Amino acid sequence: MDNSRLRMFAHRTVGSRPARLSARVLAVVLAAGVGGWLGLAFGAQVETPVGPADIGMSLAPSWSGETVIDVRPLGTLSFDSHHGPLRLDMTIEAVHPEVAEEILKNPRWADRLPTTIEADVISGLRNLALRAALFAVVAGFLTGLVAFRRLSRAAWTAAGSLAMVVVLGGVSALTFNPRSIAEPRYTGLLTGVPSLVGSAQSIVTKFSEYRGQLAKLVTNVSQLYEAGSSLPIFDPDPGTIRVLHVSDLHINPLGWNVIKSLKDQFKVDFIIDTGDISDHGTKAENEFVKEIGSLDVPYVYVRGNHDSLTTQRAVGKQKNAVVLDGAAATVKGLSIYGIGDPRFTPDKSVQAEGDESKSLLDLGRANAAKLTPREWPRSASTSAPDKIAADIVAVHDPTVGRGLSGYAPLVLSGHVHARSTELLPSGTRLMIQGSTGGAGLRGLEHDEPTPLTASVLYFGKSSHRLEAWDDITVGGLGEQWIQCERHIEPDPGRTIFPESPLAPSPTATGSGSPSPVALASGANVPYASEVSDGRRHGTGRKP
């Protein structure tokens, strides 16, 4: 008896009018979502002239909003342009040579080109939005008609599809970030290069061909990306100092191809190498460093833990090399202080005794006593004038760099074979480079090869401060992709001060030795010296 009553109650509840109404509304909403998606997928596409090119535009639902420009055959440029769940794809369908030539020859064309392109893009987006709305209505109506076989419900489904597209477009427009164009992300392919996966003999016979293709690709990508750097968001003036930061070549010849291409195409003023140019520090490996002499720009070098003193002397013999080991040098107007790694541990199976992290941190703190931020006032009556106003400090292990927090605006390092950057509480930016040599042969020990990385840094000529940087990543041996991503320094002129409350303040004379209390506070990663060579590698993951 109780069971029959329960069944009757359940039947009445499910069959009640509110429940049926809710089910119908839910069905209409689902059908509207399907119709709106179909309308975007098949109808939100237009082709519009933009300057000298015909650009194809399309919209598609996406979990993360972005704009992707297809620059085939080189690859794609991506921008975090908005946060709405829509992806805008733009493809260069055709370029009209006669229009492009007129733009290059006619100054008037060049002057009004930004306004023309802006108007063309806005017109194309307006047409794309109208087309997306129209197709969403049509697709929603047809979906409702097929699903419900009633004109009234089909009309409601069409209205729901239109509302979905309007909401998606509205959220995207409200979250639009125009500054995103200053930080593009390039991803491309190494086309036509034979795979190098195979026997050792196959790798040797094809290695030179791969090097040539890699050099051509990096050169082409650099030209394309450098053209984008003239956008008004970040326009390096002729006086901008450009520095190429490389690290951990580990005697991989491919690293020199990347360095030479980036040096030429980005017109860098000099190069900073934060160590491990060698692999075992032997005399035979000294032949590798002779490539430095062919670069024709200053090459600032600090010793890594895989580099012996023999390696350091070999680097110092190159005509354009600047070797720093507890000393400073002024290169192209920038003051650089360098610290060679105190260890020589090419074989990590032999563990160093004692607390290595603490000794490395203490090394950084001891050298910090020689430095003072450039903006700190100094008095001739104290020892402060003898201190070095370093714009950049170059070290190998970032643990050493943390000990210099608050005494230079920028610290460059390597060692861990994975790129990262961190703004320390003192205002010092610690930049850790990956491996420009793809970690050498050890880069092939993992499931995917370690990528080759380098960065181009832009410094103001008068301020001597970092203003922006480009991170370049090339797929490791046999890989077929490349990525280039720009970053803007949000506050180049920020005040630099030690993290220790006992250290001299920015308004002090700078006399005496700074206290090293808690300089490494705020670290978000383990000390590099605590990470073994077996773990120190990039992910090798494609972007």
Side-chain angles (χ1 to χ4, degrees):
M1 189 69 175
D2 291 339
N3 290 338
S4 61
R5 288 180 178 177
L6 288 174
R7 283 196 297 270
M8 290 178 62
F9 177 77
H11 177 74
R12 290 174 181 174
T13 302
V14 173
S16 64
R17 185 173 180 180
R20 291 195 302 270
L21 181 60
S22 299
R24 290 172 186 171
V25 170
L26 180 61
V28 170
V29 170
L30 291 176
V34 172
W37 183 86
L38 291 173
L40 289 175
F42 294 101
Q45 302 173 9
V46 296
E47 185 172 311
T48 184
V50 177
D54 292 335
I55 304 296
M57 297 180 176
S58 62
L59 291 173
S62 173
W63 290 112
S64 59
E66 63 177 345
T67 297
V68 179
I69 303 178
D70 190 341
V71 287
R72 64 185 66 176
L74 295 176
T76 61
L77 283 169
S78 303
F79 305 88
D80 295 327
S81 55
H82 57 279
H83 300 296
L86 272 181
R87 167 173 160 155
L88 171 63
D89 289 285
M90 303 176 71
T91 305
I92 302 175
E93 302 292 349
V95 177
H96 303 288
E98 66 282 358
V99 181
E101 185 177 358
E102 184 179 354
I103 291 173
L104 293 174
K105 291 182 177 180
N106 190 337
R108 286 187 173 181
W109 244 111
D111 292 339
R112 66 174 184 262
L113 185 60
T115 304
T116 302
I117 290 178
E118 181 181 1
D120 290 343
V121 169
I122 291 175
S123 176
L125 290 175
R126 186 182 297 113
N127 293 336
L128 180 63
L130 291 174
R131 188 177 175 90
L134 176 61
F135 271 79
V137 170
V138 173
F141 183 82
L142 293 177
T143 302
L145 197 61
V146 171
F148 306 115
R149 300 183 183 276
R150 290 186 182 181
L151 290 177
S152 59
R153 293 191 185 177
W156 278 110
T157 304
S161 298
L162 176 61
M164 184 193 85
V165 172
V166 170
V167 169
L168 292 180
V171 171
S172 300
L174 291 174
T175 59
F176 174 65
N177 176 24
R179 289 189 59 83
S180 65
I181 199 168
E183 299 184 337
R185 181 173 58 257
Y186 175 85
T187 304
L189 298 175
L190 277 165
T191 57
V193 181
S195 173
L196 298 181
V197 178
S199 65
Q201 182 179 2
S202 174
I203 290 178
V204 170
T205 56
K206 296 177 180 178
F207 194 72
S208 60
E209 182 177 0
Y210 177 72
R211 289 187 67 182
Q213 292 290 339
L214 178 67
K216 290 179 183 178
L217 174 77
V218 173
T219 298
N220 290 339
V221 170
S222 300
Q223 288 175 331
L224 172 69
Y225 198 73
E226 180 66 5
S229 70
S230 62
L231 292 167
I233 296 298
F234 178 70
D235 185 7
D237 60 55
T240 297
I241 304 170
R242 305 179 184 214
V243 180
L244 179 63
H245 178 206
V246 302
S247 190
D248 296 83
L249 270 73
H250 287 288
I251 63 170
N252 186 352
L254 291 178
W256 292 126
N257 290 85
V258 173
I259 290 172
K260 289 177 180 178
S261 293
L262 296 177
K263 184 265 297 187
D264 292 336
Q265 298 306 318
F266 282 85
K267 301 178 179 63
V268 302
D269 295 287
F270 64 94
I271 300 166
I272 295 179
D273 183 339
T274 48
D276 276 2
I277 195 172
S278 181
D279 212 16
H280 293 87
T282 62
K283 187 175 181 180
E285 292 173 302
N286 291 345
E287 290 295 316
F288 178 76
V289 308
K290 291 183 178 179
E291 292 282 350
I292 295 173
S294 64
L295 295 175
D296 298 324
V297 295
Y299 193 94
V300 181
Y301 163 84
V302 294
R303 188 179 65 252
N305 65 294
H306 281 255
D307 303 330
S308 63
L309 290 175
T310 300
T311 305
Q312 180 172 293
R313 286 191 289 269
V315 172
K317 292 178 181 179
Q318 308 308 310
K319 63 179 181 179
N320 52 325
V322 180
V323 176
L324 299 179
D325 189 7
T330 299
V331 182
K332 301 296 182 179
L334 294 180
S335 176
I336 307 154
Y337 185 83
I339 307 171
D341 198 290
R343 306 159 296 177
F344 178 52
T345 54
D347 183 4
K348 292 297 288 184
S349 64
V350 180
Q351 297 296 326
E353 297 181 359
D355 189 347
E356 190 178 75
S357 298
K358 183 178 184 304
S359 63
L360 291 174
L361 191 61
D362 288 342
L363 175 65
R365 291 168 172 170
N367 280 268
K370 304 177 185 179
L371 306 179
T372 181
R374 186 179 293 275
E375 65 271 18
W376 282 22
R378 286 170 285 174
S379 171
S381 62
T382 68
S383 59
D386 298 329
K387 295 194 174 185
I388 301 167
D391 302 307
I392 306 171
V393 176
V395 300
H396 179 61
D397 194 314
T399 308
V400 179
R402 292 183 184 280
L404 294 144
S405 178
Y407 291 89
L410 178 65
V411 176
L412 303 179
S413 66
H415 187 60
V416 298
H417 301 174
R419 176 197 285 136
S420 65
T421 180
E422 180 183 355
L423 188 61
L424 302 177
S426 65
T428 295
R429 181 173 291 282
L430 175 63
M431 299 186 75
I432 305 174
Q433 188 57 265
S435 174
T436 310
L441 292 177
R442 66 173 55 82
L444 300 175
E445 295 174 352
H446 316 290
D447 293 337
E448 296 185 17
T450 302
L452 286 67
T453 66
S455 299
V456 179
L457 316 178
Y458 300 88
F459 292 84
K461 186 176 182 180
S462 58
S463 67
H464 296 191
R465 289 295 188 91
L466 179 70
E467 296 179 344
W469 67 95
D470 293 334
D471 285 335
I472 297 98
T473 307
V474 181
L477 194 63
E479 293 291 289
Q480 298 182 338
W481 56 269
I482 185 169
Q483 186 178 82
C484 193
E485 187 169 3
R486 169 155 292 178
H487 305 274
I488 304 296
E489 181 63 80
D491 184 15
R494 63 187 178 277
T495 300
I496 309 300
F497 55 91
E499 297 173 29
S500 167
L502 301 179
S505 68
T507 58
T509 61
S511 61
S513 299
S515 172
V517 178
L519 283 176
S521 63
N524 296 322
V525 296
Y527 288 127
S529 56
E530 297 175 353
V531 184
S532 66
D533 269 3
R535 289 171 55 204
R536 290 192 290 112
H537 59 83
T539 62
R541 178 172 51 85
K542 296 179 182 65

